[in-house]
Amino acid sequence: MSINAAIDALATVLGDRLSQSKSDLAAHGQSETHFDPTPPDAVAYPRNTDEVSQIVTLCAQHHCPVVGYGAGTSLEGHTLATSGGITIDFRNMSQVLEVQSGDMTVRVQPGITREALNEDLRATGLFFPVDPGANASLGGMAATRASGTTAVRYGTMRDNVMALEVVLADGRIIRTGSGARKSSAGYDLTALMVGSEGTLGLITELTLKLQGQPEAIAAATCAFDTIDAAVQAVTATIAMGIPMARIEFLDAASVAAVNAYSKADFPVTPHLMVEFHGSDAGVAEQVERFGDIALDCGGSAFLWATKPEDRTRLWQMRHHAYWAILASRPGLNVAATAIVTDVCVPISRLAQAVSETQADIDASTIPAPILGHVGDGNFHAILLIDPENADEKHAALDLSARMAKRALALGGTVTGEHGVGLGKLDYMAAEHGASWDVMAQIKRAMDPLNILNPGKVVRLN
Amino acid sequence: MSINAAIDALATVLGDRLSQSKSDLAAHGQSETHFDPTPPDAVAYPRNTDEVSQIVTLCAQHHCPVVGYGAGTSLEGHTLATSGGITIDFRNMSQVLEVQSGDMTVRVQPGITREALNEDLRATGLFFPVDPGANASLGGMAATRASGTTAVRYGTMRDNVMALEVVLADGRIIRTGSGARKSSAGYDLTALMVGSEGTLGLITELTLKLQGQPEAIAAATCAFDTIDAAVQAVTATIAMGIPMARIEFLDAASVAAVNAYSKADFPVTPHLMVEFHGSDAGVAEQVERFGDIALDCGGSAFLWATKPEDRTRLWQMRHHAYWAILASRPGLNVAATAIVTDVCVPISRLAQAVSETQADIDASTIPAPILGHVGDGNFHAILLIDPENADEKHAALDLSARMAKRALALGGTVTGEHGVGLGKLDYMAAEHGASWDVMAQIKRAMDPLNILNPGKVVRLN
């Protein structure tokens, strides 16, 4: 392996679109959470697929690691260059290539963010529904199989990516999937690439499914006395088959943090934030049915966000909750950092998972607000730690490990939507058993030199 | 490779659950369509996953081919033992293992058929929605990524299989997926196995998503003057986002065949058969909206199938359409056989695909009624041929090849739901390009001896 030789070769091809500036390396070597900075040796800014292919081909010749980079919003250290090498930043590949209105699909480059895409689609009456909160890039969202607040209705990236263009580890450019809504033509390489975190190929183009803007939208918050009551309302709502567009849970600590950060005044008790999409009559019916369930579970009257700007503000508050929670532990010498958990369990075990987690947090010294996409059985405890306190980090990692173990014991997964990255790698053997070996077999077959985001998702020994 | 040595070893393990009787071999060596009989050397009837693992382990030792077999309803020769070897018939593994009502999931063995499963679920208020027409086994449906009449609303097997147990080519037993509704924990092996046609592993258990029985169901037929008008109505309906549970197209020739076979009296013109699921108010709204569209396109008044038994009869007629069409060409020395096409195109190209196909059929001498799951852009021409007439078979294969080429030119796929098997193998290079080589790489990594359903899906050279 000669990273320097690769850099020399790349500089010839890319000119000033290959950067080794300190600020560039540092910016691409940090993460949103607790991981230590791990910069690459250089950052490449390709303008098109052919350039990505050239970069990967040269890196393969020199056995040089290649890490894809979108908006840098990963919570699990996906983009950290733990073996050094080249980071490919897709910011110059962020165009909408084609809106296919008649098919309700769009072709985009990987660097475009979900907000930019939806802004671009505004006049079409269509929107892309997957919403992980952060303004992530579509390439990154596909690579981590992201989901978020709307997955309960519209599915995850697994369900919303129809086709891909991918640069493989040897520089070959392939297309997976087609423009058809379904196909039985062989192995589902689209699904294999989605969630592979840049370890099997680099996504250079995506065809995404779009949705029609709903005729009617209604959003509301509803306060509950206890976590159990709120979770019961969720379980009953899902069992009734009410097609909620969003059904988000925040515990009292999360609500307090949101109030402080976003200058809101929600009562400081567990809340559900909900949204309904449909025809006028359909939304009215959903609201009534959900209202009955919430009432049965002791929920408060709804606080409606009726105007579009009120809805925008409501979901902005939800999307900023991570930052609100980070800011909710002041008084340290440095800013608090977070270990983010991401368990997802069968909906029938959600109440148990949340209440056992809450008890575990209460018995610890770690502040850890809980919130999540409970309609999917997915929730996060944000474990707030003092980065200068090793004992605290240790205790938080233990707490996180117990959450992971609990999720697996309940038939769930340690990561509902954030991905494996570095943070969840240690749980993969327990979650998958021999299936994890199969993932490694596939990785070896598709990237025999192990140059694509090495050290992530699988272990090769 | 020593198939005989494998059979000797298997006989010791399985006793009389290994059969070499002529009738058994013949039954497992035939297909529903035009392929020549290709029997295996023996048929194994395992009772549990451990036995499947033992069988595959022994076959691997002797480099003996292994072909999975469910209900034998494949239309593309998937189960034909083109290299000889052992067919594993899953009929003794057809139990419902656990209904998880709270999670709306069910664990089943692969041999159970969809009708048996839904019969078993009847008292739960839940049902499994994927309906390919034929009473296929769930293992086979997963293996071919089947879909059918309800995919427009509920998705295909890709969307409805949550988790699998699989026996790999070396006998290892793995579990893919989890009980969680979503996960970002590594490569999506469930999706990789679904649609792999028994070439990467043998499915020994499935966890399936279930749906609540809709509060209201309405089904109807609607006649149109022309194919174009019917297809226009479909395109408009999908564009409006009306959540059709079924929207099926039959051309006049298909309707005539159904009338004759099922003693019905539909007007002999192109038809749509539709079904609506939802709340009472929701169904009423859908019916009104679809009704407006149908009227705009010159459709007849709806003929309603209101009673459950009328609905059952309607969909039975649809499900028997393949047999009806086969019976619609009498007067040959032997029964007509069929080459079945299965193209699926972007919905915006559906009208063009259907009309060009119709013109191509009209210009040929081959009777070929058209019908399909048009809401997905998927339709079939059933090319009826005299099995004793080689010229006719040749002409039909040419027609089929032109349909495939047309679908690819329009951005679609040559197989929307039937799978590759033997019948669509020749189109894979054109459909996938370099991606087909990647499929072969994966096959080699997971089945280096090429014992699992050899000769299907990929070519290894």
Side-chain angles (χ1 to χ4, degrees), chain A residues 289-360:
Chain A
R289 289 182 177 199
F290 175 72
D292 289 346
I293 291 170
L295 195 68
D296 281 350
C297 296
S300 70
F302 293 162
L303 191 65
W304 289 99
T306 33
K307 286 182 288 188
E309 57 268 33
D310 294 341
R311 277 205 313 275
T312 302
R313 184 167 137 72
L314 175 66
W315 296 116
Q316 256 173 10
M317 288 193 285
R318 169 64 188 87
H319 289 343
H320 293 164
Y322 177 58
W323 305 108
I325 288 167
L326 276 182
S328 73
R329 194 180 172 192
L332 305 176
N333 289 329
V334 293
T337 188
I339 291 170
V340 180
T341 63
D342 180 33
V343 298
C344 188
V345 298
I347 194 91
S348 67
R349 315 306 288 271
L350 179 65
Q352 182 184 354
V354 173
S355 72
E356 289 182 9
T357 300
Q358 188 61 57
D360 202 359

Side-chain angles (χ1 to χ4, degrees), chain A residues 222-227 230 249-256 259 266-272 300:
Chain A
C222 181
F224 291 82
D225 290 335
T226 65
I227 289 180
F249 168 78
L250 290 85
D251 72 357
S254 298
V255 171
N259 279 346
F266 296 108
V268 182
T269 68
H271 270 69
L272 294 180
S300 70

Side-chain angles (χ1 to χ4, degrees), chain B residues 153-454:
Chain B
R153 170 70 166 265
Y154 297 106
T156 74
M157 289 303 280
R158 181 191 201 268
D159 310 301
N160 287 286
V161 176
M162 273 181 63
L164 294 171
E165 181 189 71
V166 178
V167 172
L168 299 176
D170 56 7
R172 270 180 302 166
I173 301 165
I174 63 167
R175 287 190 170 270
T176 72
S178 76
R181 301 299 277 194
K182 65 181 192 182
S183 171
S184 288
Y187 307 157
D188 191 343
L189 297 184
T190 305
L192 184 64
M193 288 294 168
V194 170
S196 67
E197 306 187 3
T199 63
L200 299 178
L202 288 157
I203 295 168
T204 49
E205 188 186 305
L206 306 93
T207 302
L208 304 169
K209 292 185 196 170
L210 301 176
Q211 299 288 330
Q213 285 286 357
E215 195 178 298
I217 303 178
T221 56
C222 182
F224 291 81
D225 289 336
T226 65
I227 289 180
D228 271 1
V231 172
Q232 268 173 36
V234 172
T235 311
T237 301
I238 299 301
M240 284 277 290
I242 303 176
M244 305 300 289
R246 287 172 158 130
I247 183 162
E248 294 287 306
F249 168 78
L250 291 85
D251 73 356
S254 298
V255 170
V258 166
N259 278 346
Y261 189 84
S262 296
K263 300 182 178 47
D265 53 3
F266 295 108
V268 182
T269 69
H271 270 71
L272 295 180
M273 293 182 169
V274 295
E275 190 164 278
F276 308 91
H277 292 179
S279 64
D280 288 321
V283 164
E285 189 175 39
Q286 292 171 45
V287 166
E288 190 188 333
R289 289 181 178 203
F290 175 73
D292 288 346
I293 292 170
L295 196 66
D296 281 349
C297 297
S300 71
F302 293 161
L303 191 65
W304 289 100
T306 33
K307 288 183 286 189
E309 57 268 33
D310 293 341
R311 276 205 313 275
T312 303
R313 182 166 141 71
L314 175 65
W315 297 116
Q316 256 173 11
M317 287 193 286
R318 169 63 188 86
H319 290 343
H320 293 165
Y322 177 58
W323 305 109
I325 288 168
L326 275 182
S328 72
R329 193 180 173 191
L332 305 176
N333 289 329
V334 293
T337 188
I339 292 170
V340 180
T341 63
D342 179 33
V343 298
C344 186
V345 296
I347 194 90
S348 66
R349 318 305 290 270
L350 180 64
Q352 181 184 353
V354 173
S355 73
E356 289 183 10
T357 300
Q358 187 62 56
D360 202 0
I361 290 168
D362 289 347
S364 83
T365 58
I366 311 293
I370 294 177
L371 74 178
H373 318 304
V374 280
D376 302 314
N378 184 205
F379 65 96
H380 314 291
I382 314 292
L383 313 183
L384 291 170
I385 55 175
D386 175 352
E388 296 183 336
N389 183 335
D391 287 347
E392 223 173 61
K393 181 168 179 180
H394 191 76
L397 286 172
D398 282 353
L399 191 56
S400 167
R402 288 195 298 276
M403 280 187 73
K405 195 172 168 188
R406 189 177 300 121
L408 296 181
L410 295 174
T413 175
V414 305
T415 170
E417 58 178 9
H418 294 167
V420 182
L422 296 174
K424 300 297 183 275
L425 201 56
D426 285 343
Y427 306 122
M428 289 299 99
E431 175 152 349
H432 296 299
S435 281
W436 201 35
D437 303 329
V438 176
M439 295 183 200
Q441 281 177 267
I442 293 170
K443 167 72 171 175
R444 280 187 210 100
M446 296 187 61
D447 179 18
L449 302 174
N450 191 24
I451 62 169
L452 295 179
N453 210 1

